Amino acid sequence: MEQKNGSSFTGFILLGFSDRPQLELVLFVVLLILYIFTLLGNTTIVALSHLDPHLHTPMYFFLSNLSFLDLCYTTSIVPQLLVNLRGAHKSLSFGGCVVQLYISLGLGCTECFLLGVMAFDRYAAVCRPLHYTVIMHPRLCALLASASWFIGFANSLLQTVLTFLLPLCGRNRLDHFFCEIPALLKLACVDTTMIESEMFFVSAIILLIPVALIMLSYGQIVTTILRIRSTAGQRKAFGTCGSHLSVVTLFFGTAIYAYLQPSNNYSQDQGKFISLFYTIITPMINPLIYTLWNKDVKGAMRKVLWKDYDSRRLLRKTL
């Protein structure tokens, strides 16, 4: 290519897993199945949170936001990946790459803050049960959720602009399966040490502030739970927080491993498989964790399914 600036590109070639053609068909089948389960699981959580009046609480308001976010996050990446796995021409337009990076990064940052907000909600529920409805009133819940989305996409806008301002000098072969900052920085034809340091600092803030809030919240939660004399009460309190803590561990564990260590500490192939984990495995597992661990969600699911079954049986009798 003759172009000297990335903005004049017609597109990027996504190398993805093209160096392992025998793996592409297996990945296509596995990822398609996982993507379908991700869609079904997260759509179910969102639908139940709106359909069942017993789930119209702050906890399920944030859970519904999280499931919708996971749904959008996976959809911003996986369909393009599936097309590339089965197509001979593995490309993405420059504009498509910009949009994909902005949306996926914005959703990922939003999830960081949303998980922190959910930890504060659990703190209020366990440590301040008598004042819970006063503390977590609907206006505050909406404000906290909106702030999470705003901060997430504001940070994404900044990092996306900084990334695509770098000159690429005609380089367009992206050694990844989607547009992600570490892979894009490797295409730059200038020294990226400064911008990598800046982005590392921003990523550390985005990840560590919610982690600090989560740790403080759960420190108070554990202290409160240990004061409960009833074993049944302790079990109930741990059950309330267990699902969220599992999701937090999965999400932040992979995100910190991917973003808060030097890129030369692991190979590009390792980076791709880590990305696969947090782009599709974690969003698929989240609804399963909440469904399996949460009696309210299981009860709402049975109620909706039983109601649907009764409606169909009544309709057959009428006919």
Side-chain angles (χ1 to χ4, degrees), residues 19-75:
D19 57 333
R20 300 178 181 182
Q22 71 281 4
L23 182 65
E24 288 192 322
L25 179 59
V26 176
L27 274 177
F28 176 83
V29 174
V30 171
L31 293 178
L32 179 61
I33 293 170
L34 293 178
Y35 181 55
I36 291 171
F37 276 109
T38 302
L39 293 179
L40 289 174
N42 285 290
T43 302
T44 300
I45 295 291
V46 173
L48 288 176
S49 298
H50 285 83
L51 291 174
D52 193 324
H54 293 96
L55 301 186
H56 293 173
T57 63
M59 175 181 174
Y60 296 104
F61 169 74
F62 293 124
L63 176 57
S64 177
N65 264 265
L66 183 66
S67 292
F68 177 71
L69 187 152
D70 281 340
L71 198 62
C72 295
Y73 182 64
T74 305
T75 302

Side-chain angles (χ1 to χ4, degrees), residues 1 4 44 47 72 74 94 97 129 164 170 175 231 244 268 300 311:
M1 294 179 72
K4 298 296 180 185
T44 300
C72 295
T74 305
F94 181 83
C97 188
F164 283 102
D175 193 11
T231 306
H244 176 255
Q268 187 62 25
S311 300

Side-chain angles (χ1 to χ4, degrees), residues 66 68-74 76-77 100-116 148-149 151-153 155-156 159 178 180 203 206-207 210 251-252 254-255 259 278-279 283:
L66 183 66
F68 177 71
L69 187 152
D70 281 340
L71 198 62
C72 295
Y73 182 64
T74 305
S76 71
I77 295 168
Q100 186 181 68
L101 176 62
Y102 173 67
I103 292 176
S104 61
L105 184 60
L107 292 169
C109 294
T110 301
E111 184 156 353
C112 290
F113 286 99
L114 199 57
L115 288 171
S148 299
W149 285 86
I151 295 171
F153 277 91
N155 171 67
S156 177
Q159 295 208 44
F178 76 107
E180 193 174 38
S203 298
I206 294 294
L207 287 170
F251 179 81
F252 283 103
T254 53
Y259 283 93
Y278 61 72
T279 55

